Amino acid sequence: MRRLALVCASPPFDADEMPLPMPSYGIHRVHAAACSDDYAHPVDVRFFDLGKMGQAQGLKAILDFSPDLVGFSIYVWSMASLLQFASDIRASHPGALFVFGGPSARRDVFDHPHYRQAGRVVDAVCEGDGEAVIQHLMRSPKLDRGTLAATPGLWTRHDSGSEWQASGALVGMALEDVPSPYQLGMMPEEAVAYLETYRGCPLSCNFCAWGATRPARDVFPMAYIEAELNAFRALRAPAVFLLDAGLNLNGKGFRNLAEAQSRSGFLSEALFWAEIYPTMAKPEHLEFLASVGTAYLGVGLQSTDERVLRAHSRPFDMLRFAPAVEELSKVAGLEIQIIMGLPEDTPEGFRKTLDYALTLPASSVRVYHCLVLPDALLSRAAPTWNIDFAPHNMTMVSNNTWSSLDLMSMRDELTNRVAKHGGTSGEYWWSFRK
C-alpha cells in the first residue's frame, strides 16, 4: 500500500473580512490528480488542512496514517509553520519523504538564512505544476530518496549543504487533462469556487510571482471551463474567484471563458471576483463584466511614480490609466490596490500615490504592506535595495528607501487615516471605502 498525505494550512481571514468560506485550492488540484490515475499497486491518499484541524490534531492524524510520502503546499502565511510541522513528523516518523510545493516552495527560499536550518527537512522541491509530478511519484514501483532524485520536475540534493539538482524538466499535462477537484466532487459545497482559464502571466513584475515560473500561453479549453462552471452550480458556490493573473491578459483564455459563460450562465447567478489591467481593457471585456454583474474587480496601481515602477519592471501608462478606470467603474465595483514599502519608493511618494488613488472612481482603495515573495523580491531584488523581512510572514521590515521606523510609522498613519475614512483594516492591509 502506497500512502500519500497532502498537507496545507488554510489561514484565518485577517480581521474576519470574508464572510464566505474559501478552501485551499492548489492542494486540492494535487489531490484530484493523485486520485485520478491508474496504479499498479494500492494507493491511499488523504488530505489534512492544519488551519482547520490544528497542529496537534493534525500531527496525531498523520502519524496514525503513517504515510510514505507527505506533500506540503506552502504559502506566505504557512512557510515557517509547515517547516516546523514537517520536523515534528520526522521526529516520530523518520521514514516519510517530504516534497514541498506551492507558491512559496523555492530553492532560494530554503537556502535563505531565515529558513536554511528549518529547510533541512525538505527532501524535494516542486517549483512548477504539481499534478503530473504527484502522479509520477505514485506510479513509481519504489519510493525513496533515489526516486525523488530521478523524478523530472523535482529538485533534490544529496544533503542539506549540497547544491540543488534536477533530473530534468517534467513534461506536464495538457491543461485539458488536468483533473478537476470540482468536477470530481472533491470540493466543499456552498464555498467560494476558484476558476482558472490559463496559468502564468505575461508580465514579470519584481513584487509579484505570477510570471516567473510559467508564461501565460497554455489555456484551459472552453469545454473544460464550462464543465467547471456547471460543477460550481452543482456545489451551490456563492461566488467565483478568477485565479488568472488578469481577466484580460490572455486573449484566448478570455474568449474561452466568455463562450463557456454563454453556455453555462453560472457567473450571472453568483458573485464574480477578478483582477484586470485597465489600460488593456477592450469593449468585449466591458461587455462581459456588465453581463455577469461583477461584484469585485481588482485594479493594481501599486505606485504612481514611474521611476519606481520601472525599477520593478512594471509596465504603466499614466495617461491611459484614469480614463480606463472611469470606463470600468461603469460596469463593476472597483478596488484600487497599492503597495506600501516598495524599494525605491519613499513615504512621501507613497502618500502621493494614496492621495491620487482616493480620487479615482472606485468603490475602495486597498493598501498592502509590501511582501518579499519567492520568485519576486526575495529572488530578484537588486543587491543595493538591502531588503530585510520578517520570516514568519515575509512582510517587508526595511529596505534602501524605507527604514524600519518609516514602515512602522506609516502603518500607524494608515490605521489612523483609514479609521477617519470609515474604512477597515487588518494586520497587513488597509481598506479605504468610498
Side-chain angles (χ1 to χ4, degrees):
M1 172 68 72
R2 179 72 50 78
R3 294 182 177 86
L4 168 66
L6 295 172
V7 179
C8 71
S10 297
F13 284 105
D14 191 0
D16 295 323
E17 182 187 31
M18 174 54 62
L20 300 175
M22 296 184 69
S24 291
Y25 177 67
I27 194 75
H28 280 97
R29 275 288 197 190
V30 176
H31 190 189
C35 294
S36 298
D37 204 12
D38 294 323
Y39 305 109
H41 42 257
V43 167
D44 189 355
V45 183
R46 300 189 190 179
F47 168 68
F48 303 85
D49 187 342
L50 303 184
K52 297 180 179 178
M53 303 175 68
Q55 298 266 348
Q57 182 183 348
L59 180 61
K60 182 181 184 304
I62 289 175
L63 293 178
D64 289 345
F65 180 42
S66 189
D68 305 297
L69 177 66
V70 184
F72 293 90
S73 180
I74 59 173
Y75 292 76
V76 169
W77 57 81
S78 60
M79 164 70 72
S81 63
L82 286 186
L83 282 172
Q84 180 58 53
F85 189 75
S87 295
D88 294 341
I89 296 175
R90 179 144 294 165
S92 298
H93 186 35
L97 298 174
F98 298 154
V99 175
F100 278 67
S104 295
R106 300 292 185 265
R107 287 162 288 155
D108 56 359
V109 171
F110 300 125
D111 287 341
H112 192 279
H114 281 329
Y115 308 107
R116 188 177 297 140
Q117 180 65 31
R120 292 178 180 178
V121 75
V122 177
D123 295 311
V125 181
C126 178
E127 296 188 349
D129 300 339
E131 294 96 343
V133 170
I134 203 66
Q135 288 189 351
H136 180 95
L137 288 173
M138 300 308 287
R139 283 195 299 264
S140 299
K142 185 179 181 181
L143 191 56
D144 56 17
R145 286 178 174 79
T147 302
L148 296 182
T151 298
L154 290 182
W155 291 89
T156 60
R157 49 187 173 188
H158 293 304
D159 57 64
S160 61
S162 63
E163 294 293 321
W164 295 95
Q165 46 197 319
S167 65
L170 182 72
V171 177
M173 297 181 184
L175 291 187
E176 61 263 29
D177 296 328
V178 174
S180 164
Y182 289 103
Q183 296 174 44
L184 293 174
M186 300 172 70
M187 298 298 286
E189 295 184 341
E190 299 181 346
V192 174
Y194 302 97
L195 178 65
E196 297 178 276
T197 71
Y198 64 91
R199 290 184 174 177
C201 180
L203 309 178
S204 190
C205 309
N206 287 342
F207 48 76
C208 180
W210 275 108
T213 57
R214 173 196 276 266
R217 289 195 302 264
D218 300 332
V219 302
F220 286 88
M222 186 282 298
Y224 189 105
I225 299 171
E226 181 186 3
E228 292 283 85
L229 295 178
N230 291 335
F232 300 164
R233 177 184 283 116
L235 291 170
R236 301 189 300 280
V240 176
F241 189 169
L242 186 69
L243 291 179
D244 300 345
L247 176 74
N248 57 341
L249 289 183
N250 185 303
K252 186 175 181 181
F254 173 75
R255 289 190 294 273
N256 287 351
L257 172 63
E259 177 63 21
Q261 165 62 11
S262 72
R263 292 168 179 261
S264 169
F266 179 68
L267 294 181
S268 301
E269 304 169 18
L271 302 175
F272 180 61
W273 304 334
E275 304 288 324
I276 195 167
Y277 282 69
T279 57
M280 299 172 66
K282 299 177 180 179
E284 55 263 35
H285 302 125
L286 298 173
E287 181 181 347
F288 174 83
L289 292 168
S291 71
V292 301
T294 307
Y296 162 86
L297 201 59
V299 175
L301 172 60
Q302 318 312 355
S303 174
T304 55
D305 188 328
E306 296 190 13
R307 180 189 59 83
V308 173
L309 294 175
R310 282 196 301 272
H312 290 274
S313 303
R314 174 73 165 193
F316 184 70
D317 186 339
M318 177 64 85
L319 293 178
R320 296 178 57 198
F321 185 82
V325 168
E326 176 72 34
E327 289 301 308
L328 286 169
S329 70
K330 298 174 183 177
V331 298
L334 304 185
E335 177 183 86
I336 306 298
Q337 302 160 352
I338 63 177
I339 299 175
M340 184 270 289
L342 281 171
E344 297 298 314
D345 201 359
T346 63
E348 295 76 18
F350 168 76
R351 289 188 187 98
K352 291 179 181 178
T353 295
L354 176 58
D355 291 341
Y356 171 75
L358 290 170
T359 69
L360 295 170
S363 302
S364 64
V365 173
R366 185 176 297 255
V367 178
Y368 287 104
H369 190 126
C370 185
L371 297 179
V372 183
L373 295 173
D375 290 336
L377 284 173
L378 186 141
S379 311
R380 293 186 279 148
T384 56
W385 290 353
N386 299 321
I387 285 176
D388 185 22
F389 66 96
H392 68 287
N393 58 15
M394 295 186 170
T395 52
M396 184 73 72
V397 171
S398 65
N399 57 55
N400 64 319
T401 55
W402 290 81
S403 69
S404 58
L405 179 59
D406 288 336
L407 283 166
M408 289 188 291
S409 298
M410 186 59 73
R411 288 177 57 86
D412 291 339
E413 180 178 326
L414 285 168
T415 299
N416 292 330
R417 284 188 66 173
V418 82
K420 293 177 181 178
H421 213 277
T424 56
S425 61
E427 189 174 3
Y428 294 104
W429 57 265
W430 299 261
S431 180
F432 294 79
R433 302 295 176 182
K434 299 182 65 180

